[in-house]
Amino acid sequence: MRRHPRTTVIACIACTAVLALTAGLGGCAADESVTVSREALGTVVTITAYGDDEAQVTAAIDGAFAAIAAVEAGLDAYDPGSAVSAFNQTPYEERDLPADALAVLDAVGRLGVGDAFSPALFGVVGQYSFDSSGTVPDAARLAWAVEAAASFQRVGDGGRFAEETLSIPACDVESYPGLDFGGAAKGLALDRAREALRESGGVAAAIITAGSTTVTLGTKPDGGVWRIGVEDPRDTGRVVAVFALEGEGALSTSGDYQRYFEADGVRYHHILDPASGAPAYGLRSLTVAGTSLSGLDSDILSTALFVRGETDALRYASAHGCALYLVDGEGRARIAPAPDGSGVTVAEEAAPRR
Ligand code: AMP
Ligand code: MG
């Protein structure tokens, strides 16, 4: 996966994991917890798992990290050996996608956000060179790349893709489409890690965080709630809101501060509107959480609702029973609580920096 700027990663982790772990270690009744952090998914992943037998819990955590690595090996578009890279290297050759890719595509369809979440933006994202100095794309080349992405259609039951617009000049390499699951892979990987912990039999409860996405397994053994902090998009060391999950659930944040550069006073960030290829403007960050969401769902939704903007995001959250916390373009915070009894609450800790 692409690496986020180091400072941002550390800040992300500080916000999510510190709160989670403080709450986690605060006196579990019967079970002990084991916490392990490792580099994965372009960030640091931390797993805190509870169980009676420390050796069993530690082995289960190893299994969870192996599950994360398996997802990464399939979906990392920046690893030349991944299944998705093989696809991207010859995008016009019809071939089956790996099952993990199909899981993402199915979830995008089920959540109804295909207008705002596109897994085919590899060529569009690449035009911005976010991981080097940053480049403002040439408008014509960006338009080609957007069209190439839009022409990438899923066809048939086999999950095959076909390119409909065959007029893209073969010499214009940058306008080739390509798959980029960076907006969803973390969530899927954390779901697989959670299942590995559950199936191990030795873990009663756990919280797994990869900074911008967190999933929980079971109910906290001390009877409390899982607490997950959200950082200030303009002061990433500060917690501005805290979500509380009563049991199993997921939370994801998308923001304009995670990968970006500035040129001529404009912030070019990494969450792009598939319709135009331009960064989606209107919000600084959006966090979505729910006890009925998988990590994959929440990861897709935070990206998609960030693209759709405040009004649509609030409407979607209220129709689907999830909780939202967002910071708008002027630094104003807005909370959309989940319905009573849904097991998720969100409270503002501090006003975001303007
Ligand atoms: P996230 O941090 O989960 O919101 O994911 C952002 C990443 O997903 C970006 O760095 C891109 O690789 C990719 N991406 C950007 N815009 C979109 C979009 N509209 N739909 C799907 N993936 C996107
Ligand atoms: Mg996402």
Side-chain angles (χ1 to χ4, degrees), residues 2-5 78 125-136 259-262 268:
R2 286 212 152 172
R3 309 231 151 234
H4 290 153
Y78 300 95
V125 173
Q127 302 225 355
Y128 288 88
S129 311
F130 286 114
D131 292 337
S132 49
S133 53
T135 315
V136 179
R259 281 169 80 195
Y260 74 96
F261 62 91
E262 283 178 348
Y268 293 89

Side-chain angles (χ1 to χ4, degrees), residues 10-334:
I10 289 167
C12 273
I13 290 301
C15 284
T16 51
V18 167
L19 279 173
L21 299 189
T22 305
L25 296 173
C28 57
D31 293 2
E32 296 299 325
S33 70
V34 177
T35 296
V36 179
S37 294
R38 286 185 199 159
E39 281 201 22
L41 301 166
T43 183
V44 176
V45 176
T46 298
I47 301 179
T48 296
Y50 297 79
D52 292 327
D53 179 337
E54 189 183 331
Q56 231 185 335
V57 174
T58 303
I61 290 175
D62 279 342
F65 276 109
I68 289 170
V71 173
E72 201 168 6
L75 295 191
D76 185 352
Y78 300 95
D79 170 357
S82 75
V84 158
S85 273
F87 190 91
N88 288 348
Q89 280 150 25
T90 51
Y92 298 129
E93 197 174 291
E94 198 171 294
R95 67 170 86 212
D96 288 325
L97 282 168
D100 284 350
L102 297 178
V104 174
L105 299 172
D106 285 343
V108 171
R110 172 171 47 77
L111 295 166
V113 292
D115 59 303
F117 189 101
S118 166
L121 295 179
F122 184 72
V124 179
V125 173
Q127 302 225 355
Y128 288 88
S129 311
F130 286 114
D131 292 337
S132 49
S133 53
T135 315
V136 179
D138 168 76
R141 292 174 83 83
L142 184 64
W144 272 116
V146 167
E147 187 181 336
S151 70
F152 231 29
Q153 300 278 333
R154 185 180 177 193
V155 293
D157 294 335
R160 288 170 179 271
F161 274 73
E163 188 274 323
E164 281 181 345
T165 310
L166 294 169
S167 58
I168 294 167
C171 59
D172 190 354
V173 173
E174 285 182 43
S175 69
Y176 270 36
L179 296 173
D180 172 4
F181 290 96
K186 266 189 201 172
L188 181 65
L190 297 200
D191 286 340
R192 295 283 159 75
R194 176 165 61 185
E195 287 324 300
L197 293 177
R198 197 194 313 275
E199 284 165 14
S200 75
V203 171
I207 182 162
I208 312 171
T209 184
S212 60
T213 292
T214 299
V215 302
T216 57
L217 165 66
T219 306
K220 261 189 79 210
D222 68 358
V225 291
W226 301 110
R227 283 162 44 82
I228 304 152
V230 178
E231 63 190 352
D232 184 337
R234 293 293 179 269
D235 186 1
T236 50
R238 279 175 79 224
V239 172
V240 287
V242 176
F243 282 75
L245 292 173
E246 274 172 27
E248 200 150 313
L251 171 147
S252 291
T253 298
S254 289
D256 71 356
Y257 58 97
Q258 292 163 335
R259 281 169 80 195
Y260 74 96
F261 62 91
E262 283 178 348
D264 295 329
V266 177
R267 176 181 288 248
Y268 293 89
H269 68 81
H270 70 140
I271 304 177
L272 307 175
D273 184 342
S276 63
Y281 292 114
L283 297 178
R284 292 181 181 175
S285 82
L286 180 146
T287 302
V288 60
T291 48
S292 60
L293 297 179
S294 65
L296 175 59
D297 291 350
S298 72
D299 200 355
I300 291 170
L301 281 178
S302 69
T303 307
L305 298 183
F306 186 99
V307 170
R308 283 191 178 172
E310 177 169 344
T311 306
D312 260 38
L314 294 171
R315 196 178 299 135
Y316 189 99
S318 113
H320 292 84
C322 19
L324 273 193
Y325 170 85
L326 53 85
V327 179
D328 74 12
E330 274 74 54
R332 287 183 299 251
R334 183 87 194 262

